[in-house]
Amino acid sequence: MGVRLAKPGEFTQRALLNGKQSLLAVEALKDLVSAATDTQLRMAQACLGAWPEWIEKAKTRLAPWIARAEAVLDYGDDEIIQLDFNTLQAEIALIRETFHVEQMRSSAARWLRDGIRVALVGRPNSGKSTLFNALAGEDRAIVTEIPGTTRDVLEIRTEWSGLPLYLFDTAGLRNSNDPVERLGVARVAGVLEKVDLILHLLPLMDQGSDLEILNRLAPFQGKVLEVRTFGDQGRGAGGIVVSAMTGDLQALKVALQDRFLGPHSPDACLGALATLRQREVLDELVFQSDLVLGLSESCPPELVASALQGMWALLARLTGEDRVESTLDQVFSGFCLGK
Ligand SMILES: Nc1nc2c(ncn2[C@@H]2O[C@H](COP(=O)(O)OP(=O)(O)OP(=O)(O)O)[C@@H](O)[C@H]2O)c(=O)[nH]1
Ligand SMILES: [Mg+2]
């Protein structure tokens, strides 16, 4: 009867191709469908609709300069039209600054969109499972005073203090003769590889960690954060001190927000461009702006015109106005059938 099944995202794709939606809104729709936490939902919602104002402003600022640069190419010999190079550079510097601000915001927003993978490691009885439960807000992992309680890796997805977290509770690190516990410890290595952050739990009363644990964590130094547990049992230690027992996790909250969001609050990340594709284009926009800023007045006008065109093309790639098929395929392949 001439009927066929719709391709993944085909209805949305038609809306895009008919100019009813921008690629940014389409990507937000995709995020909306797959949002798993409140923050992810709010982030997606903030990107639906018209594209952000800063893009529109950048285009408005850039357009006359492209026109001028092209005119210089056509009529420059007659000296009717000149390019005021200093004003051009000042304008581009302003545009670059807005790109840079967005770049910073999106590197924070990325964590809110994608979630942060966090492993809890430490010696047996260092309070990993207790902290895991506290962060998850539910009694998920078994907690006992017997060292070596946790064997398997436990994973839970949760939202804590506005941060979407994938938490991994692991077996306490020690040399054990128990074959089951040994298997559990062996699994920790795989977790360390794949997470974004390793919380190395060290009870307040411990003087330091044993060499074995430090050696294991050494290859991941850049993503290890030491957290002193059993904060209710004493005082005096500096650094991040928490007590999962009493629920005092403020220091950890500050440390995580600082590390992943920097100066941006979760709310300040709403509307930021957070997908990998968008972040890549943003990086290129900053790079391309720097390229223009690196030009000198003696450069051939062709070079100026083409560098400005490059910025324009990147903005069009961001919004999807350029309709490049490979970009569209990349975006729509993640959609469900129909939609
Ligand atoms: N006072 C106090 N006790 C705690 C705290 N955190 C954990 N505990 C206790 O310490 C013991 C061990 O806690 P777990 O959370 O099971 O420790 P773990 O690191 O998961 O231990 P393994 O799974 O054996 O590696 C339990 O009896 C907890 O109740 C804390 O912050 N304060
Ligand atoms: Mg445990």
Side-chain angles (χ1 to χ4, degrees):
M1 296 175 72
V3 172
R4 65 165 172 81
L5 280 177
K7 293 191 209 121
E10 186 170 353
F11 296 117
T12 314
Q13 187 163 15
R14 287 185 181 202
L16 174 82
L17 295 176
N18 289 312
K20 305 283 183 201
Q21 277 196 339
S22 80
L23 190 57
L24 295 171
V26 166
E27 286 168 308
L29 184 64
K30 194 164 88 171
D31 281 356
L32 190 80
V33 173
S34 57
T37 69
D38 279 351
T39 306
Q40 287 168 337
L41 191 69
R42 287 198 302 139
M43 298 230 349
Q45 277 169 334
C47 291
L48 290 170
W51 59 58
E53 205 184 332
W54 63 266
I55 297 181
E56 201 50 50
K57 278 191 176 154
K59 289 172 76 170
T60 313
R61 273 179 186 249
L62 195 57
W65 289 101
I66 294 179
R68 263 173 233 152
E70 297 287 334
V72 170
L73 277 188
D74 291 342
Y75 305 108
D77 291 344
D78 312 337
E79 302 213 343
I80 304 168
I81 294 183
Q82 298 274 330
L83 203 63
D84 179 350
F85 203 74
N86 288 337
T87 316
L88 165 69
Q89 295 285 54
E91 283 277 294
I92 299 298
L94 279 178
I95 298 174
R96 187 218 182 263
E97 185 51 31
T98 62
F99 292 163
H100 180 64
V101 167
E102 288 305 319
Q103 195 184 28
M104 295 294 104
R105 215 158 68 93
S106 71
S107 62
R110 165 231 166 144
W111 295 112
L112 297 181
R113 174 182 180 270
D114 299 343
I116 308 167
R117 288 160 302 175
V118 181
L120 308 180
V121 301
R123 70 157 168 84
N125 268 2
S126 53
K128 299 178 295 296
S129 300
T130 309
L131 182 59
F132 179 83
N133 288 339
L135 295 175
E138 61 180 274
D139 217 3
R140 175 72 193 285
I142 297 174
V143 170
T144 73
E145 67 291 343
I146 305 162
T149 302
T150 307
R151 306 296 182 79
D152 253 334
V153 176
L154 288 183
E155 186 182 345
I156 198 166
R157 183 157 71 180
T158 185
E159 181 161 312
W160 180 70
S161 294
L163 299 171
L165 302 178
Y166 293 91
L167 290 174
F168 297 88
D169 185 17
T170 62
L173 297 172
R174 69 166 170 184
N175 285 322
S176 167
N177 291 325
D178 181 322
V180 183
E181 193 177 346
R182 286 175 82 97
L183 286 173
V185 171
R187 289 191 175 191
V188 179
V191 175
L192 297 182
E193 289 282 346
K194 70 177 175 189
V195 293
D196 305 302
L197 180 71
I198 298 167
L199 294 182
H200 174 199
L201 306 199
L202 193 62
L204 209 55
M205 47 281 194
D206 288 15
Q207 290 307 315
S209 240
D210 64 47
L211 209 57
E212 154 113 29
I213 294 184
L214 293 177
N215 281 340
R216 270 175 195 272
L217 297 181
F220 308 102
Q221 261 327 306
K223 58 178 185 180
V224 177
L225 204 60
E226 194 170 276
V227 176
R228 307 301 304 240
T229 48
F230 290 79
D232 53 293
Q233 297 279 294
R235 56 183 67 219
I240 304 160
V241 182
V242 300
S243 169
M245 194 76 126
T246 63
D248 177 11
L249 303 174
Q250 180 62 18
L252 183 60
K253 174 180 165 176
V254 172
L256 288 189
Q257 289 191 341
D258 194 46
R259 187 181 181 97
F260 291 99
L261 303 186
H264 307 277
S265 68
D267 275 353
C269 294
L270 291 178
L273 304 181
T275 74
L276 180 63
R277 183 196 80 82
Q278 295 162 357
R279 284 184 290 123
E280 281 173 356
V281 183
L282 251 181
D283 289 346
E284 285 187 61
L285 272 167
V286 172
F287 181 82
Q288 185 71 21
S289 311
D290 285 337
L291 208 104
V292 178
L293 292 171
L295 296 175
S296 71
E297 198 158 5
S298 56
C299 284
E302 289 83 356
L303 208 62
V304 180
S306 102
L308 292 174
Q309 287 284 6
M311 287 177 73
W312 188 262
L314 284 168
L315 283 168
R317 196 194 306 168
L318 197 56
T319 57
E321 287 163 295
D322 64 355
R323 313 229 167 133
V324 170
E325 218 162 287
S326 56
T327 312
L328 299 189
D329 286 350
Q330 188 195 334
V331 171
F332 284 101
S333 63
F335 267 84
C336 309
L337 287 186
K339 288 232 168 58

